């Protein structure tokens, strides 16, 4: 019986020793895992990690595999607004902050709500962590105060029309203030400027009236230009018409002159032929005067107003002489035509 008890106690001691060994190995494994986790740190690309040794800054761990001294080295955690609490890696890429609408009072005492976007980048992670407690919160507050300072010196109309100037001034203010924090502000953009409803309605009415005025001015200007153009056209048409009438009158005068010259030449030839035919039979001038006299009497008889015509006494003798002269001229012309085989002279023309 005592021998059995001794065997049982010996077997129980072996089991306890086995359990104890497994527990010790488990504890050692956990310790090794903890030590390994504290020793090996992998930093992502475009990120850095600040390593502190015994609470003091030691070095900057670049991206990739980094070996730390366990229980001596520890990554510095940051607690920034809009970031995960206790973040140990610092992103070096360009980031942005979308600010909610903020009330801003302009120089003409109009309260507007402005929202903006700020683009920034960490250039010195040591300054970003040790020079500013809450880097993101500081940038947000600095943007809000800078926006109120810039727009507070401007009227409402200027704030709506000069966004580029506002963006430039805000970027300069933020860049100068955040330079000692190791941050570079690359761009600031004002997205929306929302005035109150009553101001917006008044501005819309003002713009409507301004557009109506511009439309009336443009219409009046167009009518004035049209009247000027119409007057210029009429002037040019009158000048062209006068030039045409001038040229027409000149051509008509030249044509009349040419016609008179031709008539004079033809009449001169006729008189010459009459004079040559009457060389031996009388005075040609008397013949021509008598012919014109007879033509005048003929015209007088054709007039509708002439009811009674008084003939002078010497008319019959003059007609007799004309008849005699005509017979002599016809005989002379016939003789010349039979002798010389020439055509008879043309009848005498009326002098004009």
């Amino acid at each position: 019986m005592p021998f059995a008890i001794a065997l049982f106690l010996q077997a129980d001691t072996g089991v306890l020793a086995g359990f104890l060994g497994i527990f010790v190995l488990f504890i050692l494994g956990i310790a090794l895992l903890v030590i390994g986790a504290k020793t090996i740190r992998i930093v992502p690309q475009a990120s850095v990690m600040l390593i502190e040794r015994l609470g003091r800054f030691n070095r900057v761990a670049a991206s990739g595999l980094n070996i730390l001294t366990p229980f001596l080295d520890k990554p510095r955690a940051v607690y920034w607004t809009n970031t995960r609490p206790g973040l140990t890696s610092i992103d070096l890429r360009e980031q942005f902050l979308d600010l909610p609408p903020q009330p801003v009072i302009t120089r003409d005492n109009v309260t507007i709500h402005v929202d903006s976007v700020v683009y920034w980048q960490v250039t010195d992670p040591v300054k970003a962590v040790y020079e500013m407690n809450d880097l993101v919160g500081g940038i947000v507050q600095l943007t809000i105060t800078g926006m109120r300072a810039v727009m507070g010196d401007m009227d409402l109309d200027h704030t709506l029309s000069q966004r580029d100037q506002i963006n430039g001034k805000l970027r300069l203010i933020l860049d100068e203030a955040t330079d000692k924090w190791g941050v570079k502000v690359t761009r600031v953009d004002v997205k929306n400027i929302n005035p109150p409803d009553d101001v917006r309605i008044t501005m819309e009415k003002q713009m409507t009236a301004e557009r109506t005025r511009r439309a009336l001015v443009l219409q009046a200007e167009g009518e004035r230009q049209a009247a000027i153009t119409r007057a210029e056209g009429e002037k040019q048409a009158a000048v062209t018409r006068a030039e045409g009438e001038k040229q027409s009158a000149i051509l008509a005068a030249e044509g009349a002159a040419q016609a008179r010259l031709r008539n004079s030449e033809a009449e001169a030839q006729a008189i010459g032929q009459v004079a040559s035919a009457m060389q031996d039979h009388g005075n040609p001038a008397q013949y021509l005067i008598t012919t014109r006299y007879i033509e005048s009497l003929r015209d007088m008889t054709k007039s509708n107003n002439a009811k009674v015509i008084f003939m002078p006494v010497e008319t019959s003798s003059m007609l007799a002489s004309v008849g005699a002269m005509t017979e002599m001229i016809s005989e002379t012309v016939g003789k010349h035509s039979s002798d010389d085989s020439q055509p008879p002279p043309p009848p005498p023309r009326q002098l004009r």
Side-chain angles (χ1 to χ4, degrees):
M1 185 68 181
F3 179 74
I5 294 174
L7 291 176
F8 177 75
L9 292 174
Q10 185 178 3
D12 191 13
T13 303
V15 173
L16 291 175
F19 278 111
L20 183 60
I22 294 173
F23 179 74
V24 171
L25 291 175
F26 179 74
I27 295 300
L28 290 176
I30 293 177
L32 291 175
L33 290 177
V34 173
I35 293 172
K38 290 182 174 295
T39 303
I40 300 173
R41 288 300 177 93
I42 298 176
V43 181
Q45 179 68 29
S47 300
V48 294
M49 184 180 295
L50 302 183
I51 305 302
E52 293 180 344
R53 177 168 294 178
L54 298 178
R56 185 176 182 180
F57 172 73
N58 181 259
R59 69 181 188 276
V60 177
S63 58
L65 180 64
N66 293 272
I67 304 299
L68 307 182
T69 302
F71 304 106
L72 295 179
D73 295 339
K74 182 181 69 172
R76 173 62 184 264
V78 294
Y79 298 89
W80 293 345
T81 304
N82 296 331
T83 59
R84 182 171 57 85
L87 182 65
T88 56
S89 61
I90 300 174
D91 197 347
L92 298 180
R93 296 175 297 177
E94 187 173 358
Q95 305 177 55
F96 71 93
L97 292 174
D98 190 359
L99 276 69
Q102 301 294 327
V104 178
I105 301 177
T106 61
R107 187 171 59 181
D108 49 355
N109 296 325
V110 178
T111 302
I112 58 178
H113 289 80
V114 183
D115 55 343
S116 59
V117 180
V118 180
Y119 297 88
W120 58 281
Q121 185 178 10
V122 176
T123 57
D124 191 345
V126 178
K127 291 183 179 180
V129 174
Y130 293 105
E131 294 291 337
M132 184 64 182
N133 181 25
D134 187 357
L135 179 63
V136 177
I139 294 175
V140 170
Q141 296 301 322
L142 187 61
T143 303
I144 294 174
T145 55
M147 185 182 302
R148 290 175 178 173
V150 171
M151 292 188 176
D153 294 335
M154 304 174 65
D155 295 332
L156 178 61
D157 295 337
H158 292 165
T159 58
L160 296 174
S161 61
Q162 298 180 0
R163 293 193 179 188
D164 292 338
Q165 296 182 6
I166 296 174
N167 296 337
K169 292 179 180 180
L170 282 176
R171 191 187 64 81
L172 290 177
I173 293 174
L174 295 178
D175 196 20
E176 291 178 359
T178 57
D179 183 59
K180 63 179 181 179
W181 298 346
V183 174
K184 174 68 175 178
V185 177
T186 58
R187 185 179 179 86
V188 179
D189 287 332
V190 175
K191 293 196 302 182
N192 296 314
I193 300 177
N194 299 320
D197 293 338
D198 54 348
V199 176
R200 181 177 55 81
I201 294 173
T202 303
M203 291 175 62
E204 290 177 355
K205 292 181 179 179
Q206 181 180 0
M207 290 302 299
T208 302
E210 181 67 19
R211 290 174 181 173
T212 303
R213 185 186 67 83
R214 292 179 182 177
L216 294 176
V217 170
L218 290 176
Q219 183 178 0
E221 185 68 20
E223 292 177 355
R224 185 177 71 86
Q225 292 294 333
I228 293 174
T229 305
R230 193 182 303 110
E232 290 290 335
E234 293 177 355
K235 176 183 176 182
Q236 293 295 329
V239 171
T240 305
R241 192 182 304 110
E243 289 290 337
E245 293 177 356
K246 175 183 176 182
Q247 294 295 330
S248 177
I250 292 174
L251 293 176
E254 291 179 354
Q258 293 291 333
R260 294 185 66 181
L261 289 176
R262 294 293 179 86
N263 292 332
S264 299
E265 291 176 357
E267 191 170 0
Q269 292 180 1
I271 293 173
Q273 291 180 0
V274 171
S276 62
M278 294 185 63
Q279 288 181 357
D280 300 330
H281 302 283
N283 189 4
Q286 186 178 2
Y287 170 76
L288 294 174
I289 292 173
T290 304
T291 305
R292 293 296 179 85
Y293 187 79
I294 295 172
E295 291 177 354
S296 298
L297 292 176
R298 183 187 60 191
D299 294 338
M300 291 173 61
T301 57
K302 290 181 180 181
S303 175
N304 295 326
N305 297 326
K307 302 300 182 181
V308 180
I309 299 175
F310 295 93
M311 300 293 291
V313 178
E314 65 274 7
T315 301
S316 59
S317 60
M318 184 178 296
L319 292 175
S321 62
V322 169
M325 290 180 183
T326 304
E327 291 179 359
M328 289 187 295
I329 291 172
S330 60
E331 291 178 358
T332 305
V333 171
K335 184 183 297 182
H336 283 288
S337 61
S338 60
D339 295 338
D340 299 335
S341 299
Q342 293 181 354
R349 293 189 178 183
Q350 181 180 356
L351 293 176
R352 295 183 183 180

